[in-house]
Amino acid sequence: MIEQFYPTPPDTAARLMAMLDLPLQLPILEPSAGTGNLIEALRHTDRRWTRYDDCDFHCIEINLERAASLRGKGLTVIWSDFLTFNPIIPYGSIIMNPPFHDGAKHLLKALSVLADGGQVAAILNAETIRNPFSNERKILLQQLEDADYQCEFMQDAFDGTDVEIALIHAKKKASTVRCETFENFKRLIVDEHKPETSTALIHGEEDNIKRDILYYQATVKTALKLFDELNAFNRMCKKLDDVTEIFEMKNSFQSARDIAKRINGAFWTRLLYSEELARLMTGDVQRNYSSKIRQMREYEFCLENILQLKMDLVKNLTDNLDEAIMKVWYNFTARFHWRDEQSKNVHYYSGWKTNDAFAVNKKVIIPLYAFSEWRQELELYRVRSQLEDIEKVFNYLDNGRTVDSGMANKLEVAQAQGVSRGIDTKFFEVDLYKKGTCHLKFKDMGLLKKFNIYCGKKSNMLPDDYGREPYHDLDDEHKAVVDSFEGKDSYQETFARKDFYLQSSNQLLLTAGEVKT
């Protein structure tokens, strides 16, 4: 039979490479490599992700001259006739343009040397797929259907021939490798006590805490069992003398304590950075706790240590909540930056024992740089943490009345649409300007009043017992403060709903993270 050699044109090769899931497992095999056109196409396609070395490509080529040419390019030619190739270690990635008259046979061979979970991209005569008249083609189609595969047809793909081709991409299903040690622990303990991320640390949901502890214990026992088995295996290998280093299983753990510390760190990190707890922590609190993770690796994940952490966390959250709320208040009311505009943030009233009392208006302007300095392009990642911290403060004040919409999601959508004004977030409408300011317009006047009362009392602009007595029982001095701050009618609503408007930081913390229906 006359040798069929049709080098893959660049456009056809590029279209085949586009079907691959990148990056690929290494090394990459190209059987019937010819002049290596598919390798060059892959290098061009995948250069954004990986810099391939020549040794990352294994070639098979039956023609001696072309094999020599491939070697001259620095490629590794490992075999001549692909159909007789039987590697002991399967390949995770295969790209190929086999001879059309034997396309089915070559692709079946490729599937046989493909690793579980690996992928193959191939160019075949379209008739191989469209007309499965032979048992060989039927078997090929069955194996492709058993895999995750796709097929595209292409006309006039090769110079000098009008043969229609099929571009095939197939991923071999990964087989399950069982680890008996892990499976035993999983079946006995883990499956029955799989943890659910929750606010148990704050709200004291004991069942969830106990489930987390049992999961931790199962994890440690499993890891230590595997560590013991690995050490036992290595001891046996030492009896093999000259091949000890070949069979000895290396690991990064020097002792069982190393394993326990790694697992401890993972569980404490999971607890402290759960989504629910992250919603309660401002950036300052998160930074404070991130520095403690390394220290927490030394502590066992047990009930006593969790309760100690809970007391520490609640105390710190309470202290930091006051600080966080007042930090936002200060940012909204500071009058030494952006003087002309920011002076509009507040309105003045006759305060308690002071002539310098003020409350935040419905609209505030703060310095916030959402645009790059040089190109003046919108880069919302610059303001995400600041806006998220503001939203977290008002999440506490809101007491779970409003379903969380996610500041990060809102900003991502705005960034994708190139929108910098009218961004509708949970508590504010946000406008961002190139001059470096951010305009926040409150959507809930009741929440704004609560914020002003809370911060007014903390700043000694309002009396400590503000809102605790009905208006008609107040003395003239108290009435004067009420009339100047919010007026009689609004105050009566404050008094009627004092459980909402007059909460302490402890009370705010207890309702955090709970959305009421």
Side-chain angles (χ1 to χ4, degrees):
M1 180 176 294
I2 298 175
E3 180 188 20
Q4 291 184 328
F5 175 59
Y6 293 96
T8 312
D11 291 346
T12 305
R15 187 164 168 181
L16 181 67
M17 295 304 104
M19 300 175 76
L20 291 166
D21 293 335
L22 300 176
L24 299 178
Q25 295 182 45
L26 301 179
I28 300 161
L29 175 66
E30 184 182 358
S32 306
T35 55
N37 288 18
L38 291 183
I39 290 174
E40 292 304 318
L42 179 59
R43 278 176 165 154
H44 178 77
T45 302
D46 200 18
R47 62 185 176 183
R48 290 171 292 174
W49 289 274
T50 307
R51 287 188 176 182
Y52 293 119
D53 293 326
D54 290 337
C55 60
D56 293 330
F57 296 98
H58 290 183
C59 300
I60 294 176
E61 175 53 48
I62 198 168
N63 182 279
L64 296 179
E65 292 183 1
R66 288 195 290 270
S69 176
L70 292 169
R71 291 190 183 95
K73 294 179 180 180
L75 300 174
T76 304
V77 180
I78 58 171
W79 203 260
S80 58
D81 185 356
F82 180 52
L83 297 179
T84 65
F85 182 57
N86 294 300
I88 191 170
I89 301 176
Y91 283 81
S93 309
I94 301 176
I95 54 177
M96 60 191 303
N97 173 17
F100 277 10
H101 70 279
D102 269 342
K105 185 179 295 184
H106 279 251
L107 185 49
L108 281 170
K109 181 67 177 182
L111 291 171
S112 73
V113 301
L114 186 66
D116 290 344
Q119 57 181 316
V120 58
I123 301 173
L124 300 181
N125 187 325
E127 284 297 300
T128 305
I129 302 299
R130 292 191 188 277
N131 185 20
F133 66 87
S134 66
N135 287 335
E136 195 170 61
R137 291 185 179 183
K138 291 176 183 177
I139 293 172
L140 174 62
L141 285 181
Q142 182 61 55
Q143 290 194 18
L144 289 175
E145 289 173 1
D146 289 341
D148 179 11
Y149 97 104
Q150 61 183 121
C151 175
E152 296 180 10
F153 294 101
M154 188 175 179
Q155 195 72 45
D156 299 327
F158 286 85
D159 296 335
T161 176
D162 58 357
V163 174
E164 184 183 20
I165 66 167
L167 303 178
I168 304 290
H169 175 252
K171 293 190 70 174
K172 199 171 184 178
K173 293 180 180 178
S175 61
T176 301
V177 179
R178 292 178 61 84
C179 173
E180 291 299 329
T181 300
F182 177 79
E183 290 295 333
N184 287 338
F185 278 103
K186 183 175 182 294
R187 182 176 63 256
L188 294 175
I189 300 177
V190 178
D191 285 347
E192 297 179 10
H193 305 288
K194 189 173 183 180
E196 297 176 3
T197 302
S198 69
T199 52
L201 188 61
I202 296 297
H203 297 295
E205 298 166 12
E206 299 299 329
D207 288 344
N208 287 339
I209 292 177
K210 290 177 181 178
R211 186 161 47 241
D212 284 355
I213 293 172
L214 288 170
Y215 187 71
Y216 161 79
Q217 292 172 345
T219 302
V220 174
K221 289 178 181 178
T222 302
L224 294 180
K225 180 70 172 177
L226 290 171
F227 182 74
D228 289 342
E229 290 182 357
L230 184 59
N231 284 338
F233 178 83
N234 287 337
R235 287 193 296 271
M236 293 174 60
C237 287
K238 290 181 180 179
K239 300 177 182 180
L240 299 177
D241 298 329
D242 57 327
V243 292
T244 297
E245 293 185 3
I246 298 175
F247 285 96
E248 187 176 9
M249 296 294 182
K250 303 292 184 181
N251 65 80
S252 59
F253 300 111
Q254 299 300 316
S255 67
R257 183 62 186 165
D258 290 339
I259 295 177
K261 287 172 64 175
R262 176 78 65 87
I263 297 173
N264 289 346
F267 272 78
W268 288 120
T269 299
R270 175 183 172 274
L271 186 66
L272 288 173
Y273 288 96
S274 64
E275 181 179 351
E276 285 78 5
L277 282 180
R279 288 168 51 200
L280 304 179
M281 294 184 178
T282 62
D284 291 339
V285 178
Q286 284 183 324
R287 283 185 286 274
N288 179 35
Y289 269 89
S290 65
S291 64
K292 293 187 176 183
I293 291 298
R294 185 172 182 83
Q295 179 185 4
M296 295 304 295
R297 286 160 53 102
E298 302 294 332
Y299 293 89
E300 182 180 332
F301 191 80
C302 63
L303 184 59
E304 181 179 355
N305 289 336
I306 291 174
L307 293 178
Q308 181 61 47
L309 176 67
K310 175 180 178 178
M311 289 189 291
D312 180 43
L313 180 61
V314 170
K315 181 180 183 302
N316 277 278
L317 282 177
T318 303
D319 293 343
N320 280 280
L321 179 55
D322 267 339
E323 183 179 337
I325 293 175
M326 296 310 297
K327 182 178 179 180
V328 171
W329 168 264
Y330 178 78
N331 287 340
F332 284 178
T333 60
R335 297 177 299 284
F336 51 85
H337 288 304
W338 309 94
R339 183 177 300 275
D340 292 340
E341 285 190 296
Q342 203 164 352
S343 62
K344 304 174 185 177
N345 286 1
V346 300
H347 63 271
Y348 292 88
Y349 63 93
S350 298
W352 181 251
K353 310 296 185 181
T354 178
N355 293 321
D356 187 23
F358 46 84
V360 172
N361 280 324
K362 179 179 179 179
K363 179 180 176 180
V364 294
I365 301 171
I366 58 175
L368 214 57
Y369 295 86
F371 293 82
S372 60
E373 288 85 350
W374 298 105
R375 297 183 180 179
Q376 291 294 294
E377 293 179 348
L378 185 64
E379 296 177 343
L380 290 181
Y381 73 87
R382 293 169 170 266
V383 299
R384 172 177 167 173
S385 62
Q386 297 98 314
L387 291 176
E388 281 186 322
D389 277 358
I390 293 172
E391 186 172 272
K392 286 175 183 177
V393 162
F394 284 93
N395 272 330
Y396 281 106
L397 294 168
D398 186 56
N399 293 150
R401 298 179 309 155
T402 311
V403 176
D404 193 12
S405 59
M407 175 67 74
N409 292 335
K410 295 287 188 179
L411 294 179
E412 285 178 7
V413 171
Q415 178 74 63
Q417 296 175 346
V419 174
S420 61
R421 301 187 190 180
I423 303 172
D424 185 26
T425 66
K426 185 175 181 179
F427 302 114
F428 304 96
E429 289 181 8
V430 180
D431 293 330
L432 298 161
Y433 292 88
K434 291 184 178 181
K435 59 186 175 182
T437 59
C438 172
H439 294 205
L440 301 175
K441 184 178 180 181
F442 279 89
K443 296 164 63 174
D444 185 336
M445 295 302 100
L447 193 62
L448 174 59
K449 181 167 77 168
K450 182 176 182 177
F451 177 61
N452 278 322
I453 292 173
Y454 189 98
C455 297
K457 291 169 66 175
K458 292 289 182 182
S459 303
N460 296 316
M461 299 174 186
L462 296 174
D464 285 340
D465 60 350
Y466 185 89
R468 298 294 179 185
E469 300 293 336
Y471 183 83
H472 57 75
D473 288 346
L474 300 177
D475 59 31
D476 290 342
E477 189 175 13
H478 278 78
K479 284 181 178 178
V481 173
V482 167
D483 293 343
S484 180
F485 174 67
E486 62 175 316
K488 178 180 178 180
D489 291 342
S490 178
Y491 178 84
Q492 289 175 333
E493 193 244 352
T494 301
F495 173 73
R497 298 184 59 205
K498 56 181 176 290
D499 288 345
F500 172 72
Y501 283 113
L502 308 180
Q503 289 179 312
S504 66
S505 54
N506 279 328
Q507 291 171 321
L508 293 176
L509 184 62
L510 288 174
T511 58
E514 296 180 338
V515 177
K516 298 172 178 60
T517 57

